[in-house]
Amino acid sequence: MTGLMLHTSGKRFIRKQMFSDALEVLTMGEEAFSLCNPKSIELVDNIPILQIDMVWCYFMLQDIAWLSVAGLRLEKAREGLERAHGKDSSRFRLLQAGCSSELALYLRLELLEGVVAYHSGQFDKSRKFLTSAQAKFFQLQVPDEALSVVMSIGFGEQDAKRALRMSNQDVQSAVNFLVLEREKREQKREDDIRRRNEIKEQKRYGVTPLKKAVDLQKLTELVSIGFEKELAAEALRKNENGSQEALDDLTNPEANTELQRAIESRKRKRQQRATDATVEQLVSMGFERSRVIGAVQAGGSLEEVMHQLLTHPQADTTAAADDSSNAHDSSGNNNASTDLNANDNACAPDSTPTNPAVENLSPDTLGIDNSNEGPSAEQRDLEMEDEIADELTRGDALSDYNIDVTQEGDAINEYLALLDSGGGNGKASSSQLSH
């Protein structure tokens, strides 16, 4: 996963034309891949593509010092692609229903092989690679008529070009590709929304003693048999997601009461953190701490508290805070004498009197990080994997082969012109490579 993440980051730098940064990240990605079991990755093309991306960076940085290293990397890339794709891409095309999605990738490979051969004095070999790359370049050019047909159905120009290039310029195949791609994007969007909602819900319940998130599937099972959701979540959290243990606690009156106390205690702690964070946020803006505390205790949304601090003198804020505090104390005493649950909460460990007005100042509104009760390290890894997967796929499995070959086409023409003009003197083209 680390190798994929670094490779993805490197490709992002390449798209931004930041080739030095890309090369640094890709080198780290290569090191990460080297730690993998060779048998488990030899039939996938991630490493060969990374090698090609690294040589492309050498080429765009115009540094002939990388020439010998570039040659070795390209040899590894070709060998790796043949293992992954089969001879003449036979396995790859079979999996892609006959489409030539890989053409742009091989065009770039052959261009770079031709450039390395040229600067190594192997001019016949260079011409062979460049001629083959040029043929692929012509094959990837999209006819205006086919492009117009696909765009008339409602697809954008770039999407239409991409689909036609990957479908051998066949209009029907291109349309089918785009429809399927749209369906995948919609499905992924729905899955992402569902996943974000799940993570948000898990954050509310906290983590188990071993720092794992509450199992939502087991939670649903407990809710389906009649238990209150938050209470069931607390039982699972306490018991490391053990369904039977959680059920035992829920059906035991004493254990059930302890679960309720734990929920209330966590709510008070969360509320106190929200209050403290609000105070610190406002103090950092330059307001006097005592005034901030008074305004926050007086209640209201963050905007209302700020308005009060900006428009009311200190005396008014302090008075409002005193009134709120007195009212709260009186209410707390009344509740203590009439409400058994409130009395239990007051006796709970680490209890903090709650201020109902502060509930408007939620951690989500203020952007507060509840990391102590948020996702575990495992959960954060899952979030990172989701982000990486989104970047890797871009809605389909062919993003690595979706290359705009305009620069490659210009470079092919330049090096073929050098060969045609008797450029077989081994000197580097000043517009492409310089030492």
Side-chain angles (χ1 to χ4, degrees):
M1 183 54 66
T2 302
L4 291 174
M5 179 182 69
L6 291 168
H7 190 188
T8 300
S9 179
K11 287 186 287 189
R12 189 182 300 117
F13 281 124
I14 290 175
R15 287 195 295 271
K16 295 178 179 179
Q17 306 291 302
M18 300 169 64
F19 298 107
S20 293
D21 293 328
L23 192 55
E24 182 177 349
V25 175
L26 291 173
T27 301
M28 292 189 288
E30 182 181 36
E31 293 175 358
F33 277 125
S34 69
L35 301 177
C36 299
N37 185 341
K39 293 294 182 182
S40 65
I41 58 175
E42 65 181 7
L43 293 180
V44 295
D45 59 10
N46 301 89
I47 295 178
I49 293 175
L50 182 142
Q51 298 285 349
I52 294 172
D53 287 339
M54 293 183 75
V55 178
W56 180 250
C57 290
Y58 299 157
F59 179 68
M60 297 305 295
L61 288 171
Q62 303 179 7
D63 191 347
I64 202 172
W66 294 103
L67 187 62
S68 60
V69 178
L72 293 174
R73 291 194 182 282
L74 293 175
E75 287 179 9
K76 292 180 181 179
R78 183 167 286 280
E79 291 171 0
L81 287 178
E82 185 165 332
R83 281 196 306 271
H85 295 175
K87 190 172 180 60
D88 298 325
S89 300
S90 56
R91 185 185 304 118
F92 183 90
R93 294 188 183 183
L94 180 64
L95 294 173
Q96 297 300 322
C99 293
S100 302
S101 309
E102 82 291 356
L103 271 182
L105 177 67
Y106 280 89
L107 184 158
R108 177 175 284 183
L109 171 62
E110 291 176 346
L111 162 64
L112 295 172
E113 288 174 324
V115 170
V116 169
Y118 176 84
H119 290 286
S120 300
Q122 300 174 306
F123 305 116
D124 290 340
K125 189 175 181 180
S126 175
R127 184 180 294 276
K128 178 182 176 181
F129 284 131
L130 293 170
T131 301
S132 179
Q134 188 179 55
K136 290 180 174 62
F137 178 80
F138 291 144
Q139 190 175 345
L140 288 168
Q141 301 311 296
V142 176
D144 291 339
E145 182 179 353
L147 179 61
S148 298
V149 172
V150 177
M151 290 180 63
S152 68
I153 301 175
F155 296 104
E157 181 177 356
Q158 293 305 315
D159 287 339
K161 283 184 177 180
R162 175 174 177 267
L164 286 165
R165 284 199 302 265
M166 291 187 171
S167 305
N168 298 322
Q169 318 300 343
D170 182 79
V171 172
Q172 188 58 55
S173 297
V175 172
N176 292 341
F177 173 86
L178 288 168
V179 170
L180 181 60
E181 189 178 51
R182 179 182 290 172
E183 292 174 354
K184 288 180 178 179
R185 280 200 301 267
E186 180 61 25
Q187 183 61 51
K188 187 177 187 307
R189 187 186 70 82
E190 294 176 0
D191 291 343
D192 287 345
I193 292 174
R194 176 184 55 78
R195 182 60 177 154
R196 284 196 295 270
N197 289 338
E198 288 178 352
I199 292 173
K200 185 176 181 181
E201 182 178 2
Q202 287 175 320
K203 286 181 178 179
R204 292 204 310 269
Y205 302 139
V207 294
T208 70
L210 294 181
K211 305 300 182 183
K212 293 184 178 180
V214 170
D215 189 317
L216 295 183
Q217 182 175 352
K218 293 181 179 179
L219 175 60
T220 301
E221 293 172 357
L222 290 173
V223 171
S224 69
I225 59 178
F227 292 106
E228 192 272 327
K229 195 170 190 178
E230 193 169 19
L231 198 62
E234 176 60 21
L236 286 169
R237 187 200 67 78
K238 174 187 173 185
N239 292 286
E240 289 294 340
N241 289 312
S243 297
Q244 186 58 52
E245 294 85 349
L247 186 60
D248 292 342
D249 280 352
L250 289 167
T251 54
N252 182 301
E254 293 183 3
N256 191 297
T257 300
E258 288 300 320
L259 293 176
Q260 295 182 49
R261 288 177 175 173
I263 292 172
E264 292 303 319
S265 176
R266 186 165 64 250
K267 284 182 179 179
R268 289 193 298 274
K269 290 178 182 179
R270 184 185 294 119
Q271 189 178 69
Q272 186 60 47
R273 280 199 300 273
T275 302
D276 293 344
T278 304
V279 170
E280 294 305 323
Q281 182 178 356
L282 293 171
V283 168
S284 70
M285 296 178 184
F287 296 109
E288 184 181 347
R289 182 175 294 274
S290 60
R291 292 191 64 214
V292 168
I293 293 174
V296 170
Q297 289 179 348
S301 67
L302 178 61
E303 291 77 10
E304 290 170 339
V305 171
M306 291 184 65
H307 179 73
Q308 184 177 3
L309 289 169
L310 291 169
T311 59
H312 291 74
Q314 181 174 355
D316 288 350
T317 302
T318 305
D322 291 340
D323 291 342
S324 175
S325 177
N326 292 335
H328 177 68
D329 290 342
S330 175
S331 174
N333 291 334
N334 292 334
N335 288 342
S337 64
T338 60
D339 192 297
L340 179 60
N341 288 334
N343 186 57
D344 288 342
N345 291 339
C347 297
D350 301 322
S351 64
T352 303
T354 60
N355 185 343
V358 180
E359 292 179 359
N360 290 326
L361 303 172
S362 68
D364 290 338
T365 301
L366 300 172
I368 299 169
D369 179 16
N370 286 334
S371 57
N372 290 335
E373 295 187 3
S376 62
E378 176 184 350
Q379 191 66 54
R380 288 192 294 272
D381 287 343
L382 288 174
E383 292 183 52
M384 180 178 289
E385 288 177 14
D386 288 341
E387 181 180 350
I388 295 168
D390 180 60
E391 177 69 20
L392 287 171
T393 60
R394 291 290 184 180
D396 68 89
L398 302 173
S399 59
D400 277 330
Y401 316 103
N402 181 30
I403 300 173
D404 180 0
V405 294
T406 303
Q407 290 177 305
E408 285 84 348
D410 292 340
I412 290 168
N413 291 333
E414 178 176 353
Y415 275 90
L416 283 175
L418 286 171
L419 290 170
D420 290 340
S421 64
N425 53 18
K427 294 182 180 178
S429 167
S430 60
S431 64
Q432 289 294 339
L433 294 169
S434 60
H435 183 39

